[in-house]
């Protein structure tokens, strides 16, 4: 059975998202799920970091695996590079396989074997690293960031994709941001769709260089922060 508190919705770009009816919060922008991920996490996160550092490998930490869209589009991007991707993602409340099968991302993105890869990302075991492709490895942790031990200076890129501060305030507290900052390597980049003033002040207080960027369609601004 699909999740009882989850409702499938179609966003403005034709791609699906989910509505958590308990929180009354969507997993992505209603203006376009794929469009939002491409703009916030791929273009202004992954592509920006690669252009800046030209790495041979990249370690990504995602806060909020959710539907798996960010992971799928990062995997898609990896096919265009020779970079080795190590993708760690946290999700305290995974969606069911029945809900996964309803999502149309593979059809909309329409790259070779997209359905196979999307299923593989979701079906892989939790708590241990899985090989998705020769240069893409994923480790899914069924846990909250508060309960995870992060090694210092271990990640190049942070996708911060928790529910909004108004819906999930504990995910945006200073102690969470401190943990993330400590896990970032020098030169690491943090990206999120959120542009709340408190978030920007907190990130600056941790010594990060904070940029307020134009947001994706339907949203005025987003945030990118870099560790010096």
């Amino acid at each position: 059975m699909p999740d009882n508190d989850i409702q499938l919705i179609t966003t403005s770009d034709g791609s699906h998202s989910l509505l958590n009816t308990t929180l009354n919060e969507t997993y992505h922008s209603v203006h376009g799920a794929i469009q939002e991920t491409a703009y916030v996490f791929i273009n202004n996160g992954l592509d920006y970091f690669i252009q800046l550092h030209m790495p041979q490998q990249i370690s990504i930490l995602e806060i909020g695996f959710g539907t798996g869209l960010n992971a799928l589009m990062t995997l898609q991007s990896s096919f265009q590079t020779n970079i080795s991707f190590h993708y760690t993602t946290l999700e305290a409340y995974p969606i069911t396989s029945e809900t996964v099968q309803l999502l149309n991302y593979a059809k909309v993105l329409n790259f070779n074997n997209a359905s196979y890869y999307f299923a593989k990302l979701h079906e892989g075991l939790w708590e241990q690293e899985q090989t998705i492709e020769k240069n893409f490895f994923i480790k899914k942790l069924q846990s909250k960031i508060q309960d995870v031990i992060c090694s210092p200076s271990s990640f190049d890129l942070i996708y911060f994709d928790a529910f909004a501060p108004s819906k999930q305030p504990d995910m945006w507290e200073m102690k969470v941001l401190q943990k993330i900052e400590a896990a970032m390597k020098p030169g690491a980049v943090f990206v999120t769709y959120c542009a709340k003033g408190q978030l920007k002040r907190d990130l600056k207080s941790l010594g990060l260089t904070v940029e307020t960027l134009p947001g994706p369609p339907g949203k005025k601004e987003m945030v990118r922060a870099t560790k010096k």
Side-chain angles (χ1 to χ4, degrees):
M1 291 289 292
D3 309 70
N4 291 330
D5 60 346
I6 296 295
Q7 179 182 326
L8 187 76
I9 64 170
T10 301
T11 66
S12 294
D13 67 1
S15 61
H16 286 153
S17 187
L18 300 174
L19 170 67
N20 183 309
T21 56
T22 301
L23 295 176
N24 191 29
E25 179 78 347
T26 58
Y27 279 59
H28 309 92
S29 169
V30 296
H31 298 279
I34 283 176
Q35 189 171 246
E36 180 185 44
T37 288
Y39 183 85
V40 174
F41 299 107
I42 305 301
N43 299 347
N44 285 303
L46 179 63
D47 292 348
Y48 173 79
F49 182 86
I50 290 174
Q51 290 165 12
L52 202 61
H53 296 288
M54 302 298 289
Q56 292 186 324
Q57 65 175 35
I58 183 169
S59 296
I60 299 171
L61 174 63
E62 177 186 37
I63 312 299
F65 180 66
T67 64
L69 178 57
N70 295 341
L72 181 64
M73 293 185 68
T74 302
L75 174 65
Q76 181 184 17
S77 294
S78 76
F79 298 148
Q80 315 303 320
T81 77
N82 292 317
I83 299 168
S84 178
F85 283 71
H86 295 266
Y87 195 101
T88 300
T89 182
L90 310 182
E91 180 56 62
Y93 306 104
I95 60 177
T96 64
S97 58
E98 289 85 358
T99 298
V100 170
Q101 289 167 19
L102 298 175
L103 296 166
N104 69 352
Y105 302 139
K107 181 180 179 181
V108 176
L109 290 170
N110 194 32
F111 62 89
N112 286 343
N113 298 317
S115 295
Y116 163 78
Y117 286 120
F118 188 54
K120 195 169 183 181
L121 286 168
H122 278 280
E123 291 167 1
L125 298 175
W126 292 79
E127 319 304 330
Q128 53 186 277
E129 190 170 74
Q130 306 284 313
T131 302
I132 304 299
E133 255 299 335
K134 60 182 179 181
N135 68 326
F136 195 96
F137 309 89
I138 188 168
K139 186 174 185 179
K140 300 186 299 180
L141 302 176
Q142 189 173 347
S143 180
K144 296 181 179 181
I145 180 64
Q146 293 91 332
D147 300 325
V148 172
I149 297 173
C150 296
S151 300
S153 301
S154 52
F155 294 102
D156 299 298
L157 180 59
I158 309 293
Y159 293 167
F160 201 85
D161 202 14
F163 285 133
S166 60
K167 305 293 183 176
Q168 216 172 26
D170 60 310
M171 294 295 295
W172 303 82
E173 292 177 350
M174 177 59 92
K175 60 185 178 182
V176 169
L177 299 176
Q178 287 172 328
K179 176 180 278 193
I180 291 169
E181 185 277 333
M184 294 169 68
K185 298 178 184 178
V189 171
F190 169 107
V191 279
T192 183
Y193 65 87
C194 179
K196 293 286 187 184
Q198 187 61 54
L199 171 66
K200 290 186 276 190
R201 289 189 291 273
D202 288 345
L203 292 172
K204 286 178 183 176
S205 76
L206 292 171
L208 300 180
T209 300
V210 177
E211 301 172 82
T212 303
L213 305 176
K219 190 160 179 61
K220 185 178 178 182
E221 297 173 338
M222 62 162 284
V223 163
R224 180 169 66 206
T226 304
K227 187 166 182 176
K228 300 172 185 175

